[in-house]
Amino acid sequence: MLSGGGSNLQALIDATASPAFPAKIVGVISDRPDAYGLQRAAQSDIPSRCVERDHYATRTEFEHALARAIADFDPDFVLLAGFMRILRGDLPDRYAGRMLNIHPSLLPRHKGLDTHQRAIDAGDIAHGCTVHFVTRELDAGPALIQARLDIADTTNAEQLAAQVLKLEHKIYPLALRWLAEARVELTSNGITLDRIELPEPVVMDADGLDC
Ligand code: GRF
């Protein structure tokens, strides 16, 4: 599910194109008809749907329409990839343990928007991105993987965003792989990876990710 450029979708399309990858993309949903991600889906022959907020009188009706669109694709997993709407209904519960989001910060730092500028303004020495399970609370579900980089003194928010986006493109397909291989599970105590509880997210270094 996306709202914009869909570079994360593209990373997922590229990863899942390999026959060895344990998942494939069954559908793309956008809340914006002009999202470039829809074109990316079309270019790869992936079915897509657009569910626009303005077409529904209430947020609840909009979320019901989203739920129907998702259900029509009958996915095992739902990945939010730059989907710029907060889900307030029961979708996160319905897909508990099966719905992921990617967020451009080292959560729990910098939930919400404008994360790169906020990291710079806060004087953070490190920044990055997080793949986490979606719960009802915004950007607060259990975190599975983070990729981190050091913030250089001279880096501006735009440069930082570009650096972080490259990391996102590495860890989101990896998270999907782990989920699809049933290596990862969300339990009442948190996340397990290969049946071992993860006390904190797996952290990958930009260097190790070859970015
Ligand atoms: C990414 O930075 C993602 O973390 C955030 O929105 C941005 C989407 O980028 N949630 P794209 O549409 O995947 O290029």
Side-chain angles (χ1 to χ4, degrees):
M1 295 169 67
L2 50 77
S3 303
S7 69
N8 275 289
L9 168 66
Q10 190 63 54
L12 293 164
I13 289 173
D14 295 345
T16 55
S18 155
F21 199 90
K24 70 182 171 100
I25 303 173
V26 292
V28 169
I29 296 172
S30 171
D31 64 322
R32 298 183 53 128
D34 58 348
Y36 183 64
L38 287 172
Q39 291 187 41
R40 294 184 191 269
Q43 282 157 14
S44 294
D45 292 324
I46 298 170
S48 66
R49 286 272 296 278
C50 186
V51 181
E52 284 182 75
R53 172 66 183 88
D54 291 355
H55 290 183
Y56 301 91
T58 64
R59 176 192 283 274
T60 306
E61 286 170 46
F62 167 63
E63 289 203 12
H64 284 162
L66 274 181
R68 282 194 300 274
I70 298 171
D72 284 348
F73 287 126
D74 194 22
D76 292 320
F77 308 109
V78 179
L79 272 63
L80 308 184
F83 183 68
M84 302 304 284
R85 299 260 168 202
I86 298 171
L87 298 171
R88 299 207 191 274
D90 66 357
L91 267 173
D93 293 339
R94 201 179 301 183
Y95 291 95
R98 300 193 294 138
M99 185 182 263
L100 295 177
N101 181 40
I102 187 148
H103 182 79
S105 79
L106 295 174
L107 290 172
R109 285 188 76 68
H110 310 306
K111 296 174 184 172
L113 299 174
D114 207 14
T115 55
H116 310 296
Q117 190 61 54
R118 284 161 59 208
I120 291 172
D121 292 348
D124 293 358
I125 54 170
H127 186 47
C129 49
T130 305
V131 176
H132 66 93
F133 284 100
V134 176
T135 58
R136 281 181 181 234
E137 222 185 318
L138 178 69
D139 298 334
L144 172 59
I145 312 182
Q146 293 186 319
R148 51 157 284 159
L149 49 75
D150 295 331
I151 302 181
D153 290 346
T154 52
T155 307
N156 64 34
E158 202 180 324
Q159 292 164 333
L160 195 53
Q163 291 170 1
V164 169
L165 203 54
K166 280 192 189 168
L167 298 178
E168 295 184 33
H169 299 162
K170 301 276 180 181
I171 63 169
Y172 217 4
L174 181 60
L176 175 59
R177 170 182 284 281
W178 287 353
L179 205 56
E181 288 174 339
R183 293 182 60 190
V184 166
E185 215 178 318
L186 184 63
T187 72
S188 49
N189 291 329
I191 297 176
T192 60
L193 177 60
D194 297 330
R195 297 186 187 278
I196 296 167
E197 272 183 33
L198 274 187
E200 35 192 61
V202 176
V203 180
M204 308 214 154
D205 231 48
D207 299 339
L209 285 167
D210 199 18
C211 291

